[in-house]
Amino acid sequence: MSAQIRVDLASPVPPYEQIRSQVSALAAAGVLAPGKRLPTIRMLAADLGVAPGTVARAYRELETEGTVTALRRRGTVISQRAAAPAGEAGGLPAEVSAAVGHLAETARRHGVPDAVVLSALASAMSLPTRLEP
C-alpha cells in the first residue's frame, strides 16, 4: 500500500494531510477494501521518509473521519463505513472518484498549487455542457 502513497515535501500541503487524503481516496475508490490492514505507523513513516508523528496524525484524522478503525493488537484497518453503497464512493461513481484522485496526484507531481487546480476544475465545471441532439 505504501507504494501507492507519495509525499511531496516541497508541497504547501502538510505531509500528514497528503497521507490522509490519499488513503481516504484509495478507500473511497475501493482500492483499499474494508478490513484491509494499513502498514504500521513506523513502517509507513520509514517508507515515506517522514516522522512517525506525521503518520500518526494522518491515521488519527482518518479514524476521526471514519475511514479507518484502530484495533488493539491488530493494527489499523479500513473501516466498513469507508465503503460506499453500490460501489460508489461518497456519492461519486468509482470512476469519477479515481479520476479526481489521479488529478490531485498528477497536479502535485507537477508542482501545480492546489488553488490553481481548484480554480481550473471550477472553471471546467462551469463550462456549458454540449447536449447531443
Side-chain angles (χ1 to χ4, degrees):
M1 193 231 26
S2 59
Q4 297 173 320
I5 297 176
R6 301 274 186 261
V7 173
D8 178 7
L9 297 176
S11 171
V13 178
Y16 78 88
E17 176 58 24
Q18 293 178 49
I19 296 166
R20 187 212 58 78
S21 66
Q22 290 176 55
V23 171
S24 185
L26 289 168
V31 175
L32 295 176
K36 169 79 173 161
R37 186 173 174 199
L38 298 179
T40 64
I41 290 171
R42 287 183 184 172
M43 184 183 300
L44 186 57
D47 288 350
L48 298 176
V50 297
T54 300
V55 176
R57 180 166 179 188
Y59 279 15
R60 276 193 312 275
E61 296 210 4
L62 286 162
E63 187 170 22
T64 299
E65 73 184 29
T67 300
V68 302
T69 303
L71 304 172
R72 285 188 172 266
R73 299 182 187 231
R74 293 194 350 215
T76 303
V77 298
I78 300 296
S79 69
Q80 294 296 327
R81 294 187 336 193
E88 296 190 359
L92 292 176
E95 182 180 7
V96 174
S97 181
V100 170
H102 180 71
L103 171 63
E105 179 182 330
T106 302
R108 286 190 182 117
R109 189 172 52 246
H110 290 281
V112 179
D114 291 352
V116 172
V117 174
L118 291 172
S119 175
L121 183 58
S123 177
M125 296 298 293
S126 67
L127 294 176
T129 306
R130 281 184 14 177
L131 299 175
E132 299 292 326

